[in-house]
Amino acid sequence: EVQLVETGGGLVQPGKSLKLTCATSGFTFSNAWMHWVRQSPEKQLEWVAQIKAKSNNYATYYAESVKGRFTISRDDSKSSVYLQMNSLKEEDTAIYYCTWLLWYWGQGVMVTVSS
Amino acid sequence: DVLMTQTPVSLPVSLGGQVSISCRSSQSLVHSDGNTYLHWYLQKPGQSPQLLIYRVSNRFSGVPDRFSGSGSGTDFTLKISRVEPEDLGVYYCLQSTHFPLTFGSGTKLEIK
């Protein structure tokens, strides 16, 4: 059974940092292309970032709204993908989901950016 | 960015009825590899989105054949026949042909 479990969310002040972790199981993670997608309080879904597999040189792609502030990475030995979020803004407040291939999704983790 | 225009915003339906949801893109979703990366999701209350249809018309594992997708180029449709209570929620389309990936704004399926 495919499982994706996000952790690391919480309340953080503007300008601070937070790192999300997505632990996975049930599929061959080392070959997997992984994404982060977020959903605003208004329920709008927004793609955030993608990381490809080692065979694709771990290529990464970002939404313009997070480029330069967020970094997606992975640890194939731990079957985990990460989202390092720096210089957080109030508009980054959302539920963050990790997804494998956009097919299977985790349950999401809430990030609230507020002073 | 590719704008995904999804209509209607709200869709009242009677159980057992049939509905269609439209998703139009601001540019063609045909990839250079010949595939069209347009997908449909259902988000039930309190849950994460779940994939229904991938690449326009392919039902994902476990999705009943009451769900069907069609379309090409910039114009796509999701049809749901014999609507059941478990079908209620918000439907989203997603294009992954072009970066950045973009979602429609959602269609809420609710009981009439």
Side-chain angles (χ1 to χ4, degrees):
Chain A
E1 180 192 6
V2 173
Q3 288 194 324
L4 303 97
V5 179
E6 303 95 336
T7 56
L11 173 63
V12 62
Q13 293 179 328
K16 299 296 187 181
S17 300
L18 206 59
K19 186 174 184 177
L20 304 182
T21 297
C22 175
T24 75
S25 61
F27 61 99
T28 305
F29 182 81
S30 58
N31 296 335
W33 293 8
M34 302 297 296
H35 300 255
W36 286 95
V37 173
R38 66 186 181 184
Q39 186 167 37
S40 67
E42 296 75 29
K43 302 301 184 185
Q44 181 58 46
L45 289 165
E46 179 187 17
W47 172 80
V48 173
Q50 179 192 17
I51 186 165
K52 293 187 174 180
K54 182 178 181 180
S55 57
N56 306 109
N57 297 316
Y58 299 124
T60 58
Y61 307 87
Y62 296 92
E64 203 61 39
S65 59
V66 307
K67 197 175 292 184
R69 300 188 299 122
F70 289 13
T71 302
I72 188 171
S73 61
R74 63 192 293 157
D75 185 337
D76 290 348
S77 69
K78 295 182 178 179
S79 297
S80 294
V81 62
Y82 308 96
L83 187 67
Q84 176 68 46
M85 304 184 293
N86 298 332
S87 303
L88 281 161
K89 305 175 181 180
E90 290 190 349
E91 51 264 41
D92 295 319
T93 294
I95 298 173
Y96 284 74
Y97 297 100
C98 74
T99 117
W100 168 38
L101 276 179
L102 302 166
W103 284 16
Y104 296 91
W105 295 53
Q107 84 289 350
V109 64
M110 185 70 207
V111 173
T112 303
V113 184
S114 174
S115 53
Chain B
D1 297 3
V2 177
L3 178 64
M4 303 298 289
T5 302
Q6 196 175 329
T7 55
V9 172
S10 176
L11 192 51
V13 64
S14 299
L15 294 178
Q18 177 175 297
V19 295
S20 293
I21 300 170
S22 170
C23 187
R24 288 182 173 161
S25 57
S26 59
Q27 58 184 274
S28 174
L29 298 186
V30 180
H31 194 274
S32 55
D33 65 9
N35 290 310
T36 300
Y37 295 94
L38 183 284
H39 322 289
W40 291 96
Y41 297 83
L42 165 60
Q43 186 173 33
K44 299 179 182 180
Q47 296 185 17
S48 53
Q50 57 187 81
L51 180 65
L52 297 173
I53 302 286
Y54 64 96
R55 279 190 271 121
V56 180
S57 58
N58 299 278
R59 273 187 300 277
F60 191 55
S61 174
V63 175
D65 60 8
R66 301 182 292 100
F67 293 88
S68 63
S70 62
S72 63
T74 61
D75 200 350
F76 304 92
T77 301
L78 175 70
K79 289 185 180 176
I80 313 167
S81 59
R82 306 184 303 279
V83 171
E84 297 186 5
E86 65 199 45
D87 301 337
L88 302 181
V90 182
Y91 290 79
Y92 295 93
C93 59
L94 163 69
Q95 70 80 20
S96 59
T97 296
H98 305 284
F99 280 105
L101 283 61
T102 45
F103 289 86
S105 53
T107 295
K108 186 173 185 179
L109 190 67
E110 50 195 10
I111 296 295
K112 189 181 294 183

